[in-house]
Amino acid sequence: MQKTKTMGQVLGCVQVDQSTVAIKETFGKFDDVLQPGCHCMPWCLGSQVAGHLSLRVQQLDVRCETKTKDNVFVTVVASIQYRALAESAQDAFYKLSNTRNQIQAYVFDVIRASVPKLDLDSTFEQKNDIAKTVESELEKAMSHYGYEIVQTLIVDIEPDVHVKKAMNEINAASRMREAASEKAEAEKILQIKRAEGEAESKYLSGLGIARQRQAIVDGLRNSVLAFSESVPGTSSKDVMDMVLVTQYFDTLKDIGASSKSNAVFIPHGPGAVKDIASQIRDGLLQGKAAE
C-alpha cells in the first residue's frame, strides 16, 4: 500500500482514504479539501498534500482534580467524544495545533468552575448537569475551530481515599442503626403479642377454674342432699366432715404418688380435719354475716 501511494505521488496522483480528507496546498497556500478517492496532484506545478484530517469520532478521557463546596477533594473523570467537520476541515486543520490539549483545557476550566459550587453529595447527584455544562461550553468553543462535540460523559467521581472510607463507615453505621431499630420494633411486637396471649390464657384459665369450682360446689351439694336422704339422721355437717376427710386422704395419696412433688400439706394429722372443717364453716359464716 505504501509503495502504491509513493508510486502515485511520483505520477502526480494521491489517494485519500474513507472517513478522511486531505488538505491540498499550492506553493504553501491552502488550495482545496480533497474528499476520499483518487486525485490528480501535479507536484511540478507546486501542488502538494499538507496533511490528512480524520473525520472519525475520537474520544478523549480527562482527569480533573478539584474541590467541592464542603472542601472535599475529588477527581472528576470526563469522557469527551468529538470529531472534525468535513465542511470546516480548513479551520480544523489550520487553527489548532493540538486539539486534545485545547479540549482538555476547556474541560478543566468548566469542571473547576462548576464543582466548587456543589457539596460532595450534590456533585454525585448532578453529574449529568455537569456533563451538559461541559458539553455546552465545549460546543461553543470548538465550533469556531471546525470540531463538533458529539457527547460528553462524566464517567467517574473519585473522592479522596480517606473520604471514601469515611463515607462507607457512615453508610454502614446508618444501616446498622436501621437494623437495630427494626429488630427492637420486632421484639416490641413480640412482647405485646406475648402479653396479649398470656392475658388471654389467664382469662381462659380463670374461666376454667371458676367453672371447676362451680362444678365442685354443685357436686358437693348433690352429694350432701343424696347422702342425707339415703342415711336418715345425718346432718349436712356430718356429710361435709366425711367429704373433707375423703379429700384429705386423696390429696395425701396424690402427693405421695409423685416422686418430684415439692408440696407441703399442713396440717398433716388426720385429727386436724375437724379443725379444717371448723375453719371453713367459720369463714363461710363470717362472710355471710359481713354481707
Side-chain angles (χ1 to χ4, degrees):
M1 178 63 70
Q2 186 64 34
K3 289 182 178 180
T4 303
K5 289 185 177 181
T6 304
M7 182 70 67
Q9 291 175 359
V10 171
L11 297 177
C13 295
V14 71
Q15 174 185 319
V16 180
D17 296 333
Q18 184 66 34
S19 299
T20 306
V21 293
I23 304 300
K24 177 183 177 183
E25 292 181 348
T26 302
F27 294 110
K29 182 181 179 181
F30 172 77
D31 187 2
D32 194 10
V33 176
L34 305 181
Q35 301 298 323
C38 183
H39 299 272
C40 180
M41 187 70 60
W43 54 269
C44 56
L45 299 178
S47 298
Q48 64 173 357
V49 174
H52 293 77
L53 185 66
S54 175
L55 302 180
R56 296 176 181 176
V57 175
Q58 303 179 62
Q59 179 167 311
L60 172 64
D61 293 329
V62 180
R63 298 178 61 88
C64 176
E65 185 178 11
T66 185
K67 185 177 70 170
T68 63
K69 186 177 181 180
D70 47 353
N71 296 322
V72 177
F73 282 92
V74 295
T75 299
V76 180
V77 182
S79 180
I80 314 299
Q81 297 174 356
Y82 66 98
R83 67 178 179 181
L85 298 173
E87 59 272 18
S88 303
Q90 180 182 356
D91 293 336
F93 185 81
Y94 287 104
K95 287 187 176 181
L96 287 179
S97 60
N98 193 321
T99 306
R100 300 175 71 87
N101 285 348
Q102 186 75 14
I103 292 176
Q104 180 173 293
Y106 279 110
V107 172
F108 280 176
D109 181 65
V110 176
I111 289 179
R112 287 174 177 169
S114 302
V115 174
K117 299 177 182 178
L118 306 171
D119 56 28
L120 183 60
D121 292 337
S122 299
T123 302
F124 280 97
E125 294 171 358
Q126 300 182 29
K127 70 173 188 175
N128 290 335
D129 295 336
I130 298 173
K132 290 179 180 178
T133 303
V134 173
E135 182 175 344
S136 175
E137 293 298 322
L138 278 177
E139 185 68 33
K140 288 189 294 184
M142 299 304 295
S143 61
H144 298 295
Y145 302 107
Y147 282 91
E148 175 191 13
I149 303 301
V150 178
Q151 192 170 16
T152 300
L153 302 172
I154 301 298
V155 296
D156 197 10
I157 299 175
E158 302 174 357
D160 182 76
V161 176
H162 300 292
V163 175
K164 188 184 295 185
K165 182 179 179 181
M167 291 173 65
N168 290 335
E169 291 177 353
I170 292 172
N171 188 30
S174 175
R175 293 184 180 275
M176 290 177 65
R177 183 168 60 252
E178 291 179 3
S181 177
E182 292 294 333
K183 182 178 179 181
E185 187 66 23
E187 291 179 353
K188 176 184 175 182
I189 294 174
L190 287 175
Q191 290 178 359
I192 292 174
K193 294 298 182 182
R194 190 181 296 114
E196 291 176 352
E198 290 178 357
E200 184 68 18
S201 175
K202 289 179 180 179
Y203 171 74
L204 295 175
S205 177
L207 290 178
I209 293 173
R211 292 173 181 173
Q212 179 186 19
R213 290 176 178 175
Q214 183 64 41
I216 292 173
V217 171
D218 293 341
L220 289 174
R221 184 177 64 251
N222 294 334
S223 297
V224 170
L225 293 175
F227 193 87
S228 298
E229 292 174 358
S230 301
V231 183
T234 57
S235 64
S236 298
K237 175 181 178 302
D238 296 331
V239 177
M240 287 301 299
D241 288 342
M242 186 186 68
V243 172
L244 288 174
V245 170
T246 303
Q247 293 291 329
Y248 176 81
F249 283 110
D250 288 342
T251 302
L252 290 179
K253 179 181 177 182
D254 292 338
I255 293 174
S258 178
S259 60
K260 297 181 180 180
S261 176
N262 55 4
V264 178
F265 192 78
I266 299 174
H268 63 280
V273 176
K274 183 177 180 181
D275 295 336
I276 296 173
S278 299
Q279 293 174 13
I280 294 174
R281 283 195 300 273
D282 292 343
L284 290 174
L285 292 173
Q286 291 175 5
K288 289 180 180 181
E291 294 177 356

